[in-house]
PDB file of all heavy atoms in Angstrom:
ATOM      1  N   PRO A  70     140.309  86.721 129.102  1.00 97.00           N
ATOM      2  CA  PRO A  70     140.668  87.222 130.431  1.00 97.00           C
ATOM      3  C   PRO A  70     140.523  86.195 131.543  1.00 97.00           C
ATOM      4  O   PRO A  70     141.024  86.412 132.644  1.00 97.00           O
ATOM      5  CB  PRO A  70     139.691  88.382 130.647  1.00 97.00           C
ATOM      6  CG  PRO A  70     138.520  88.051 129.799  1.00 97.00           C
ATOM      7  CD  PRO A  70     139.046  87.297 128.620  1.00 97.00           C
ATOM      8  N   THR A  71     139.810  85.107 131.285  1.00 97.00           N
ATOM      9  CA  THR A  71     139.554  84.165 132.379  1.00 97.00           C
ATOM     10  C   THR A  71     140.280  82.840 132.206  1.00 97.00           C
ATOM     11  O   THR A  71     140.242  82.002 133.106  1.00 97.00           O
ATOM     12  CB  THR A  71     138.052  83.843 132.462  1.00 97.00           C
ATOM     13  OG1 THR A  71     137.685  83.172 131.252  1.00 97.00           O
ATOM     14  CG2 THR A  71     137.220  85.092 132.614  1.00 97.00           C
ATOM     15  N   GLY A  72     140.893  82.640 131.055  1.00 97.00           N
ATOM     16  CA  GLY A  72     141.513  81.340 130.804  1.00 97.00           C
ATOM     17  C   GLY A  72     140.513  80.294 130.328  1.00 97.00           C
ATOM     18  O   GLY A  72     140.842  79.110 130.247  1.00 97.00           O
ATOM     19  N   ALA A  73     139.277  80.735 130.000  1.00 98.00           N
ATOM     20  CA  ALA A  73     138.283  79.778 129.497  1.00 98.00           C
ATOM     21  C   ALA A  73     138.744  79.185 128.165  1.00 98.00           C
ATOM     22  O   ALA A  73     138.591  77.988 127.919  1.00 98.00           O
ATOM     23  CB  ALA A  73     136.932  80.465 129.327  1.00 98.00           C
ATOM     24  N   SER A  74     139.297  80.022 127.302  1.00 98.00           N
ATOM     25  CA  SER A  74     139.869  79.531 126.045  1.00 98.00           C
ATOM     26  C   SER A  74     141.242  78.978 126.371  1.00 98.00           C
ATOM     27  O   SER A  74     142.081  79.677 126.912  1.00 98.00           O
ATOM     28  CB  SER A  74     140.017  80.672 125.035  1.00 98.00           C
ATOM     29  OG  SER A  74     138.765  81.005 124.511  1.00 98.00           O
ATOM     30  N   HIS A  75     141.450  77.722 126.031  1.00 98.00           N
ATOM     31  CA  HIS A  75     142.728  77.099 126.380  1.00 98.00           C
ATOM     32  C   HIS A  75     143.104  76.053 125.336  1.00 98.00           C
ATOM     33  O   HIS A  75     142.302  75.716 124.464  1.00 98.00           O
ATOM     34  CB  HIS A  75     142.642  76.494 127.774  1.00 98.00           C
ATOM     35  CG  HIS A  75     141.639  75.385 127.875  1.00 98.00           C
ATOM     36  ND1 HIS A  75     140.280  75.602 127.801  1.00 98.00           N
ATOM     37  CD2 HIS A  75     141.792  74.050 128.002  1.00 98.00           C
ATOM     38  CE1 HIS A  75     139.643  74.452 127.905  1.00 98.00           C
ATOM     39  NE2 HIS A  75     140.542  73.497 128.021  1.00 98.00           N
ATOM     40  N   ILE A  76     144.316  75.546 125.454  1.00 98.00           N
ATOM     41  CA  ILE A  76     144.811  74.573 124.481  1.00 98.00           C
ATOM     42  C   ILE A  76     145.065  73.262 125.203  1.00 98.00           C
ATOM     43  O   ILE A  76     145.672  73.243 126.268  1.00 98.00           O
ATOM     44  CB  ILE A  76     146.112  75.081 123.832  1.00 98.00           C
ATOM     45  CG1 ILE A  76     145.831  76.416 123.130  1.00 98.00           C
ATOM     46  CG2 ILE A  76     146.657  74.072 122.847  1.00 98.00           C
ATOM     47  CD1 ILE A  76     147.019  77.024 122.440  1.00 98.00           C
ATOM     48  N   VAL A  77     144.562  72.183 124.621  1.00 97.00           N
ATOM     49  CA  VAL A  77     144.785  70.878 125.252  1.00 97.00           C
ATOM     50  C   VAL A  77     145.721  70.045 124.388  1.00 97.00           C
ATOM     51  O   VAL A  77     146.145  70.461 123.306  1.00 97.00           O
ATOM     52  CB  VAL A  77     143.448  70.129 125.499  1.00 97.00           C
ATOM     53  CG1 VAL A  77     142.610  70.879 126.508  1.00 97.00           C
ATOM     54  CG2 VAL A  77     142.700  69.919 124.207  1.00 97.00           C
ATOM     55  N   GLU A  78     146.005  68.866 124.847  1.00 95.00           N
ATOM     56  CA  GLU A  78     146.864  67.890 124.177  1.00 95.00           C
ATOM     57  C   GLU A  78     146.602  67.844 122.672  1.00 95.00           C
ATOM     58  O   GLU A  78     145.467  67.759 122.236  1.00 95.00           O
ATOM     59  CB  GLU A  78     146.558  66.520 124.821  1.00 95.00           C
ATOM     60  CG  GLU A  78     147.004  65.316 124.046  1.00 95.00           C
ATOM     61  CD  GLU A  78     148.328  64.778 124.577  1.00 95.00           C
ATOM     62  OE1 GLU A  78     148.476  64.699 125.788  1.00 95.00           O
ATOM     63  OE2 GLU A  78     149.200  64.469 123.739  1.00 95.00           O
ATOM     64  N   GLY A  79     147.647  67.922 121.895  1.00 96.00           N
ATOM     65  CA  GLY A  79     147.495  67.841 120.452  1.00 96.00           C
ATOM     66  C   GLY A  79     147.205  69.199 119.829  1.00 96.00           C
ATOM     67  O   GLY A  79     146.921  69.294 118.641  1.00 96.00           O
ATOM     68  N   GLY A  80     147.243  70.265 120.630  1.00 97.00           N
ATOM     69  CA  GLY A  80     147.045  71.600 120.076  1.00 97.00           C
ATOM     70  C   GLY A  80     145.599  71.972 119.821  1.00 97.00           C
ATOM     71  O   GLY A  80     145.316  72.964 119.156  1.00 97.00           O
ATOM     72  N   ILE A  81     144.665  71.207 120.355  1.00 98.00           N
ATOM     73  CA  ILE A  81     143.249  71.531 120.140  1.00 98.00           C
ATOM     74  C   ILE A  81     142.864  72.718 121.029  1.00 98.00           C
ATOM     75  O   ILE A  81     143.137  72.716 122.233  1.00 98.00           O
ATOM     76  CB  ILE A  81     142.347  70.324 120.469  1.00 98.00           C
ATOM     77  CG1 ILE A  81     142.724  69.139 119.572  1.00 98.00           C
ATOM     78  CG2 ILE A  81     140.881  70.682 120.297  1.00 98.00           C
ATOM     79  CD1 ILE A  81     141.909  67.884 119.830  1.00 98.00           C
ATOM     80  N   VAL A  82     142.233  73.726 120.412  1.00 98.00           N
ATOM     81  CA  VAL A  82     141.815  74.925 121.139  1.00 98.00           C
ATOM     82  C   VAL A  82     140.377  74.735 121.603  1.00 98.00           C
ATOM     83  O   VAL A  82     139.488  74.458 120.792  1.00 98.00           O
ATOM     84  CB  VAL A  82     141.929  76.175 120.248  1.00 98.00           C
ATOM     85  CG1 VAL A  82     141.416  77.413 120.980  1.00 98.00           C
ATOM     86  CG2 VAL A  82     143.366  76.381 119.802  1.00 98.00           C
TER      87      VAL A  82
END
Side-chain angles (χ1 to χ4, degrees):
Chain A
T71 64
S74 285
H75 63 290
I76 300 180
V77 295
E78 163 99 44
I81 300 179
V82 177

